Amino acid sequence: MKIAFFNTKDYDRFYFTQENSRNEHSIRFIETHLNENTVHLITNETAVCVFINDCLNANVLTSLKSKGVKFIALRSAGFNHVDLATAKKLGLVVTRVPAYSPYAVAEHAVALLMTLNRKIHRAHNRVREGNFSLNNLLGFDIHGKTVGVIGTGKIGQIYSNIMLGFGCHVLAYDVKTNAECIAAGVDYVPLNELLSRSDIISLHCPLNDETHHLIDESAINLMKPTVTLINTSRGKLIDTKAVINALKAQKISLLGLDVYEEEEVLFFDDFSSSVIQDDVFARLLTFPNVLVTSHQAFFTQEALTQIAHVTLQNISEFEQNGVIQNGVDNFT
Ligand code: NAI
């Protein structure tokens, strides 16, 4: 199939070219994001491949349809950036990669926790400058702490197992329990109990109407002031302004974020020579006890290999057998 790949970086080009080594598909890599201003770049492609910060609103979908596009391959698990109702009305097939490497994300959540706790990022900068002081680098043992895991699906389960391996007591909250987590020693408790008892809280549930601003002022008020909060899931799970107020009032001890409410305009691009216009984000970066990475939890060799494989397989299945594999509709 002829595919226009939007929003591509070197690593996308490498892994997708490798996966398409037999030239099963004709791929045209485009650097820019897909949106209303760039949709005209499509020439004769029947498929587009896009990422989470591309815009697939009703106008873009209508333009895609009028240009002869039939297939939208999301190279992500998330699909909240697609107007699915319009896609369905227009008869556009939308597929995704439901799971690529849950280990990548769970391990990154642990990396954020460990880096923040032992202040590795600060220590690294100090040592490079010849400053070998230990002042303000004091951490705590993870062993023996109570860890609250919100969402015990694929990623939350792996994260729970890692924390159990550290010798933690793991509490969990989910709308449905996971029998394997219970067998491993995880205790399910109501959300408020998890919030009030946990030393470390890690978010692994999806963003939906119920979970939007799950961590707001009232949730923070239930937490211990010594809490470490980690979010590798979706930015809008956290009310960022409430979290900033809590950081100022020293009601949150450590905050690790791989996702941010308004990340679409910032993440994945280099703004190191620009002035950041988002004052809320800029304020977050001023706290010494906050660590932010730019949605890189998924970013491992294994995950990129799997993303390329499943994305192209989804397209091949449709082209060769008319089968919609990993169709987004199946998951809504
Ligand atoms: P999953 O679908 O396997 O698990 C999600 C779990 O959340 C399920 O057990 C579900 O029952 C639970 N859940 C749903 N609604 C809930 C609620 N209201 N309260 C508590 N739990 C609820 O998903 P998976 O693969 O574990 O991914 C989790 C999240 O991780 C994704 O939704 C995505 O937002 C995020 N993610 C982040 C990445 C990154 O690079 N930072 C990469 C991939 C996923």
Side-chain angles (χ1 to χ4, degrees):
M1 203 178 271
K2 287 192 162 144
I3 316 165
F5 266 65
F6 279 86
N7 192 2
T8 53
K9 309 278 188 226
D10 285 349
Y11 47 85
D12 296 307
R13 290 189 275 273
F14 177 83
Y15 281 95
F16 276 94
T17 303
Q18 181 174 269
E19 186 62 32
N20 192 41
S21 58
R22 285 184 285 127
N23 291 319
E24 212 176 310
H25 300 286
S26 161
I27 294 179
R28 188 161 62 93
F29 293 113
I30 300 169
E31 257 180 60
T32 186
H33 294 198
L34 175 62
N35 56 41
E36 290 176 33
N37 300 321
T38 60
V39 68
H40 69 272
L41 293 172
I42 290 167
T43 47
N44 57 354
E45 285 89 2
T46 17
V48 290
C49 182
V50 294
F51 196 48
I52 50 172
N53 52 346
D54 288 301
C55 170
L56 290 123
N57 64 17
N59 288 344
V60 172
L61 293 171
T62 307
S63 300
L64 288 176
K65 175 78 180 178
S66 72
K67 286 186 151 291
V69 169
K70 295 186 170 65
F71 197 97
I72 298 170
L74 310 180
R75 51 179 192 278
S76 61
F79 49 86
N80 45 324
H81 54 304
V82 186
D83 180 343
L84 287 180
T86 303
K88 196 168 189 171
K89 207 165 65 195
L90 295 170
L92 293 167
V93 176
V94 185
T95 62
R96 65 173 190 144
V97 186
Y100 26 92
S101 175
Y103 294 98
V105 183
E107 289 170 11
H108 191 76
V110 178
L112 285 174
L113 167 64
M114 298 302 284
T115 307
L116 270 168
N117 172 29
R118 303 307 298 267
K119 286 124 183 105
I120 303 295
H121 52 316
R122 301 182 70 189
H124 174 71
N125 288 336
R126 277 190 197 183
V127 170
R128 283 169 70 96
E129 288 185 2
N131 175 356
F132 305 104
S133 159
L134 298 184
N135 285 337
N136 300 317
L137 297 184
L138 191 65
F140 56 84
D141 286 5
I142 301 285
H143 177 89
K145 294 295 180 293
T146 298
V147 179
V149 180
I150 301 182
T152 50
K154 291 178 285 297
I155 296 168
Q157 181 178 350
I158 293 165
Y159 180 84
S160 299
N161 285 337
I162 297 173
M163 289 296 109
L164 288 167
F166 270 107
C168 296
H169 178 203
V170 178
L171 303 178
Y173 170 73
D174 195 311
V175 288
K176 57 175 194 251
T177 55
N178 175 333
E180 289 179 19
C181 284
I182 295 172
V186 172
D187 290 327
Y188 282 87
V189 293
L191 179 60
N192 285 358
E193 187 179 336
L194 180 149
L195 295 173
S196 60
R197 286 178 56 196
S198 300
D199 302 300
I200 297 157
I201 296 175
S202 202
L203 308 182
H204 299 290
C205 59
L207 175 65
N208 55 36
D209 289 345
E210 268 175 54
T211 59
H212 182 263
H213 286 186
L214 183 79
I215 305 300
D216 59 7
E217 189 185 347
S218 59
I220 294 165
N221 284 338
L222 292 174
M223 295 177 194
K224 297 181 182 182
T226 50
V227 73
T228 298
L229 176 63
I230 307 288
N231 186 10
T232 54
S233 203
R234 282 293 178 267
K236 287 186 169 64
L237 295 180
I238 290 185
D239 177 347
T240 314
K241 287 183 181 155
V243 159
I244 286 175
N245 288 338
L247 285 161
K248 285 164 75 178
Q250 301 187 1
K251 288 183 181 173
I252 290 177
S253 177
L254 298 169
L255 175 68
L257 302 177
D258 186 52
V259 287
Y260 166 63
E261 282 198 76
E262 308 299 334
E263 69 179 48
E264 283 76 9
V265 289
L266 289 171
F267 285 7
F268 306 118
D269 287 311
D270 180 0
F271 293 109
S272 54
S273 301
S274 316
V275 175
I276 290 182
Q277 298 298 324
D278 181 335
D279 291 348
V280 175
F281 186 74
R283 181 68 177 103
L284 264 185
L285 299 184
T286 65
F287 293 99
N289 49 348
V290 173
L291 180 59
V292 184
T293 52
S294 56
H295 208 135
Q296 71 172 77
F298 74 99
F299 200 58
T300 63
Q301 297 162 5
E302 290 78 3
L304 292 192
T305 303
Q306 184 68 0
I307 288 169
H309 177 69
V310 174
T311 303
L312 292 187
Q313 201 178 51
N314 288 343
I315 298 172
S316 300
E317 275 297 317
F318 183 70
E319 185 179 33
Q320 291 161 18
N321 308 319
V323 172
I324 301 173
Q325 178 180 272
N326 298 318
V328 164
D329 255 353
N330 300 343
F331 295 85
T332 52

